[in-house]
């Protein structure tokens, strides 16, 4: 057994829905881990009698939280992060498609997959729902690297049988065969899961969306991920391509793609009744503030989505998103809220990044907080990572305000260590933490 002594903060429930008991904080806490799972989490004084032969890691002064969950990110877009000047459809044409074309090469895919996963870990992200390129080999490469790290990761190859350049399209038959093989090879292996991944409605024919729906019906525990209602021009083009659909969400719904384990990125322009439909069928939304600001897509109505009972998780959406850091992404989510007149509560923010994300992915039985029985995916945060953060937090008394400052000022520099299933997979070189 391994034991970690530090301050511990995690969410037991959605703090906006529960009056009391959603936030668990142990100033002098102890986390007990055995065989990759949490076996105890609470006050050091209460749990220390159970230490026995456990190896004790004294991380006093640091903060342990659950690992962060990124519910939307593109692995083949690492190299076009921060590409200047365009909104969604032009950005896809000019920057994204050329970069993704390179992922037909297994060596490039494998090299990038290793970098990508290490970057997630460096930022404290322990689970992600990931878009691959259209090429099966890109997803094989990503799964192989994630399996080596024993990471809980869900991914899929992009479906795109139209409106994409040559070399970046598939067909109904080729994509069906690729997905069946990827599911057989990877879904449920270690901590991996497969997601059927229609890129967005514009890039998929009716026949391909119908095939995706049939495949999901045959594999009910497989995930579905796509983009929805991100950009005004995209919405208009979708309406033109699918004249029979009631609205953008209905395009996916009519093909059986709106269900439990369906995650829709963005939903910036969705309104009340559509959120209600999305929630009623068990779908979830990935809120990607850095991307929505960077591409000028708009301001996601978080409060409205939540008020309709929609499950929401945080997404970085790299490479339209501008940071791998979920902490930084929470700071940007706050700013989006400010522009809408809604100030995001710091505990709600941490919920969205952890248990909320786990619920969005239907994985809350396994990850999302540090309750006994959960997989021991956690991070050790250095609250004095920068001189400014150290100074600001020393001046801040309440936990709520400390957490808020951490999301506004913090990023990868704050992450001292990252653990996957109880195994340390990242340690910051200059970590101040004693061993
Ligand atoms: N819509 C379709 N493809 C993409 C993509 O790669 N990124 C974003 N942000 N939106 C999309
Ligand atoms: Zn995206």
């Amino acid at each position: 057994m391994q034991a970690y002594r530090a301050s511990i903060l995690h969410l037991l429930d959605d703090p906006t829905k529960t009056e009391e008991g959603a936030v668990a904080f142990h100033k002098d806490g102890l986390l007990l881990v055995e065989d990759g799972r949490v076996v105890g989490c609470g006050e050091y004084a209460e749990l220390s009698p159970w230490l026995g032969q456990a190896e004790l890691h004294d991380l006093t002064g640091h903060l342990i939280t659950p690992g962060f969950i990124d519910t939307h990110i593109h692995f083949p877009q690492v190299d076009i992060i921060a590409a200047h000047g365009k909104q969604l459809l032009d950005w896809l044409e000019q920057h994204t498609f050329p970069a993704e074309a390179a992922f037909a090469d297994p060596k490039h895919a494998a090299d990038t997959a290793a970098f990508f996963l290490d970057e997630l870990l460096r930022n404290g992200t322990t689970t992600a729902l990931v878009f691959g390129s259209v090429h099966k080999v890109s997803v094989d490469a990503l799964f192989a690297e994630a399996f080596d790290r024993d990471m809980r990761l869900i991914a899929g190859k992009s479906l795109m049988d139209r409106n994409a350049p040559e070399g970046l399209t598939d067909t109904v038959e080729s994509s069906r065969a690729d997905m069946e093989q990827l599911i057989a090879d990877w879904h449920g292996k270690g901590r991996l899961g497969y997601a059927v991944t229609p890129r967005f409605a514009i890039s998929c024919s009716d026949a391909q969306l119908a095939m995706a729906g049939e495949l999901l019906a045959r594999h009910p525990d497989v995930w579905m991920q796509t983009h929805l209602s991100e950009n005004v021009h995209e919405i208009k083009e979708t309406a033109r391509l699918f004249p029979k659909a009631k609205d953008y969400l209905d395009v996916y719904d009519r093909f059986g793609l709106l269900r439990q384990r369906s995650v829709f990125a963005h939903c910036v322009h969705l309104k009340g009744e559509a959120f209600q439909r999305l929630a009623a069928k068990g779908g979830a939304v990935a809120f990607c503030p850095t991307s929505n600001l960077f591409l000028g897509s708009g301001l996601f109505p978080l409060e409205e989505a939540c008020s309709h009972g929609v499950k929401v998780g945080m997404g970085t959406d790299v490479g339209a998103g501008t940071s791998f850091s979920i902490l930084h992404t929470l700071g940007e989510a706050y700013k989006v809220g400010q522009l809408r007149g809604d100030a995001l509560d710091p505990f709600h923010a941490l919920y969205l990044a952890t248990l909320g994300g786990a619920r969005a992915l239907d994985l809350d039985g396994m990850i999302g907080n540090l309750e006994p029985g959960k997989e021991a995916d956690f991070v050790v945060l250095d609250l004095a990572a920068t001189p400014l953060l150290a100074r600001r937090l020393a001046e801040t008394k309440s936990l709520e305000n400390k957490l808020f400052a951490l999301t506004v000022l913090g990023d990868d520099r704050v992450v001292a260590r990252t653990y996957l299933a109880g195994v340390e997979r990242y340690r910051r070189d200059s970590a101040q933490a004693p061993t």
Side-chain angles (χ1 to χ4, degrees), residues 168-428:
L168 263 193
T169 52
D170 53 12
T171 67
V172 173
E173 278 320 310
S174 74
S175 56
R176 187 209 315 266
D178 283 351
M179 288 195 290
E180 290 286 11
Q181 194 61 52
L182 285 164
I183 290 168
D185 290 346
W186 298 109
H187 183 68
K189 182 173 176 177
R191 299 207 287 158
L192 306 176
Y194 192 77
V196 171
T197 307
R199 179 171 209 122
F200 61 164
I202 293 175
S203 73
C204 300
S205 65
D206 284 50
Q208 192 173 42
L209 293 174
M211 180 275 293
E214 285 159 20
L215 193 133
L216 283 165
R218 276 188 283 115
H219 299 280
D221 62 336
V222 157
W223 283 262
M224 199 292 301
Q225 59 176 342
T226 190
H227 296 92
L228 172 61
S229 202
E230 176 179 5
N231 169 284
V232 288
H233 304 293
E234 168 219 20
I235 294 168
K236 216 167 155 189
E237 179 61 5
T238 304
R240 191 184 70 78
L241 290 171
F242 296 90
K244 289 197 198 126
K246 181 176 144 194
D247 59 14
Y248 197 162
L249 179 63
D250 187 51
V251 172
Y252 296 127
D253 194 10
R254 57 202 287 127
F255 291 110
L257 303 176
L258 170 54
R259 64 209 259 285
Q260 186 79 0
R261 297 199 166 192
S262 292
V263 180
F264 299 90
H266 307 305
C267 301
V268 164
H269 303 283
L270 234 54
K271 297 263 179 314
E273 186 275 330
F275 278 128
Q276 227 160 40
R277 232 181 311 146
L278 203 155
K281 294 214 169 177
V285 173
F287 173 23
C288 309
T290 74
S291 167
N292 298 157
L293 295 169
F294 183 74
L295 291 181
S297 302
L299 306 172
F300 174 64
L302 174 66
E303 288 215 346
E304 188 178 358
C306 292
S307 75
H308 289 287
V310 174
K311 292 176 283 188
V312 179
M314 296 307 302
T316 60
D317 194 29
V318 165
T322 52
S323 171
F324 274 79
S325 169
I326 289 285
L327 277 178
H328 174 73
T329 303
L330 293 177
E332 298 302 290
Y334 175 79
K335 295 174 194 169
V336 166
Q338 286 289 68
L339 285 167
R340 297 189 55 87
D342 309 320
L344 175 60
D345 169 79
F347 293 122
H348 189 206
L350 185 62
Y351 168 80
L352 295 174
T354 56
L355 185 61
R359 287 179 174 170
L361 300 182
D362 195 23
L363 286 174
D364 47 306
M366 296 168 183
I367 55 171
N369 61 23
L370 301 171
E371 286 188 297
K374 295 266 176 111
E375 295 168 1
D377 290 351
F378 61 97
V379 290
V380 178
L381 304 180
D382 175 4
L383 304 183
T386 70
L388 178 62
L389 194 61
R391 186 180 170 107
R392 177 69 177 84
L393 292 188
E395 287 303 308
T396 311
K397 294 284 175 290
S398 82
L399 176 64
E400 188 174 1
N401 290 339
K402 278 185 200 279
L403 177 61
F404 179 60
L406 197 61
T407 65
V408 176
L409 299 175
D411 51 31
D412 53 327
R413 293 168 295 178
V414 169
V415 179
R417 301 181 189 187
T418 304
Y419 291 78
L420 297 178
V423 175
E424 183 185 295
R425 297 284 176 180
Y426 167 71
R427 183 186 291 220
R428 200 184 57 192

Side-chain angles (χ1 to χ4, degrees), residues 72 74 77 88 91-92 96-97 100 131 199-200 227 230 234 266 291 295 317 320-321:
H72 184 69
H74 297 255
Q77 294 179 13
L88 177 63
W91 175 85
L92 285 172
T96 315
F97 291 156
E100 293 196 9
F131 268 61
R199 179 171 209 122
F200 61 164
H227 296 92
E230 176 179 5
E234 168 219 20
H266 307 305
S291 167
L295 291 181
D317 194 29

